[in-house]
Amino acid sequence: MSNILEVKNLTKKFKDFTAVNSISFSVEKGEIFGLVGPNGAGKTTTIKILSTLLPLTSGSANIGGFSVIKDAAKVRRLIGYVPQLLSADGSLTGYENLLVFAKLYDIPSEDREKRIRDSLHFMGLSESANKLVKQYSGGMIRRLEIAQAVIHHPLILFLDEPTVGLDPLAREGVWDYVKQLSDNGTTILLTTHYMEEADAICNRVAILNKGNIAAIGSPLELKKSVGNEEISLNEVYEFYVGKLIESEETTGNFKDVSRTRHTASRLG
């Protein structure tokens, strides 16, 4: 398999604070790769650099053979990005949100209608296409945002804490669709602090702690590395980092989801 993403000695400093400390990893075509760790580990900073939203301090990152620094415009054409903060407009319908993104990605007018309808169908939103997004549940909003990010058929999809603020049932629904995207050939890099999700869905994970990669491998490889295939990935994290990640659960409407994601994004 060929690598879609290559990261070498990636470092990001904010004055005297090192948010990402010389990390290296690669992501293969069709893979689901997870960056796992608590808030402040460097996950969101890394994904913002890879999606060309932040400049790196040193090192390199290439997507599809293009540099995220030197070829940023070309990279943006190859990626889809779902941030922590809301990217759907609550005052528009699901269909209208997708139409906006189809135009932003320069999808030809003769193809837009089919792309939009296919995306709505794939994400299970066809019956809600003409409802205002502010009437959607948290899980529906997230599925719409993923549809927005893949409507142009990107080479790689970045998901930053895609299930933050969702209840367990909604989280499970979102992951089902993420798995389907992977099965259809989409390469995915995601960040999460829900270790049970990373264990269930990721082909490989990198455990981040204070900007460093503490360990990397498949969930099974990481468990074997600590001598017990039966333990949870959270326990593996505790072995390498020295503490467990506390999980949080919430649910609610458009306003609740917006508030929760804003807090998560602020904490990084």
Side-chain angles (χ1 to χ4, degrees):
M1 299 177 72
S2 59
N3 290 334
I4 297 297
L5 171 65
E6 291 276 1
V7 175
K8 295 182 179 179
N9 303 318
L10 182 66
T11 298
K12 178 60 181 179
K13 294 184 178 182
F14 297 96
K15 295 184 178 179
D16 295 330
F17 174 68
T18 301
V20 179
N21 186 23
S22 191
I23 65 173
S24 300
F25 63 92
S26 60
V27 179
E28 295 180 343
K29 183 178 181 180
E31 187 175 23
I32 301 179
F33 187 94
L35 296 176
V36 304
N39 292 327
K43 306 187 308 296
T44 293
T45 299
T46 299
I47 212 167
K48 284 184 175 180
I49 292 171
L50 298 180
S51 56
T52 75
L53 295 177
L54 274 179
L56 51 80
T57 301
S58 61
S60 65
N62 294 278
I63 297 175
F66 296 105
S67 166
V68 299
I69 299 300
K70 298 178 181 178
D71 308 305
K74 292 179 180 178
V75 167
R76 292 182 194 119
R77 290 284 180 181
L78 299 177
I79 67 172
Y81 174 49
V82 181
Q84 285 185 24
L85 291 178
L86 280 171
S87 58
D89 189 333
S91 66
L92 300 177
T93 66
Y95 178 92
E96 290 168 340
N97 270 277
L98 287 177
L99 179 60
V100 169
F101 273 75
K103 291 181 177 180
L104 286 173
Y105 284 120
D106 293 327
I107 294 174
S109 56
E110 62 269 20
D111 296 333
R112 287 176 196 157
E113 183 69 19
K114 185 178 187 305
R115 288 276 190 100
I116 292 170
R117 295 299 177 187
D118 286 349
S119 296
L120 288 166
H121 175 73
F122 181 82
M123 300 306 294
L125 295 170
S126 293
E127 294 184 1
S128 304
N130 296 317
K131 288 177 59 177
L132 293 178
V133 172
K134 65 183 178 183
Q135 298 173 330
Y136 281 20
S137 67
M140 292 169 67
I141 294 168
R142 210 33 141 180
R143 284 168 13 224
L144 175 64
E145 290 173 318
I146 294 173
Q148 291 172 170
V150 299
I151 197 168
H152 62 305
H153 300 163
L155 190 64
I156 185 169
L157 172 64
F158 295 114
L159 301 173
D160 192 8
E161 297 280 4
T163 59
V164 68
L166 302 184
D167 62 68
L169 186 60
R171 289 209 306 265
E172 186 176 335
V174 169
W175 287 124
D176 284 343
Y177 287 104
V178 170
K179 287 178 180 177
Q180 288 182 52
L181 285 169
S182 175
D183 289 343
N184 288 341
T186 302
T187 303
I188 296 168
L189 186 147
L190 60 90
T191 72
T192 184
H193 63 268
Y194 295 123
M195 289 300 181
E196 73 280 7
E197 291 184 337
D199 198 350
I201 196 172
C202 292
N203 301 113
R204 288 188 301 137
V205 299
I207 294 176
L208 285 180
N209 181 49
K210 297 180 180 179
N212 295 283
I213 292 181
I216 190 168
S218 71
L220 182 58
E221 288 171 344
L222 291 173
K223 293 172 186 178
K224 285 182 176 179
S225 73
V226 302
N228 188 348
E229 297 179 21
E230 303 303 320
I231 63 174
S232 69
L233 203 57
N234 209 354
E235 290 172 294
V236 173
Y237 187 88
E238 182 182 24
F239 176 88
Y240 282 106
V241 177
K243 60 182 178 179
L244 292 169
I245 295 181
E246 295 183 1
S247 187
E248 58 186 59
E249 294 178 1
T250 186
T251 184
N253 57 24
F254 186 85
K255 187 180 294 185
D256 295 328
V257 172
S258 179
R259 186 186 305 114
T260 301
R261 293 206 206 158
H262 179 77
T263 301
S265 179
R266 177 172 54 82
L267 294 174

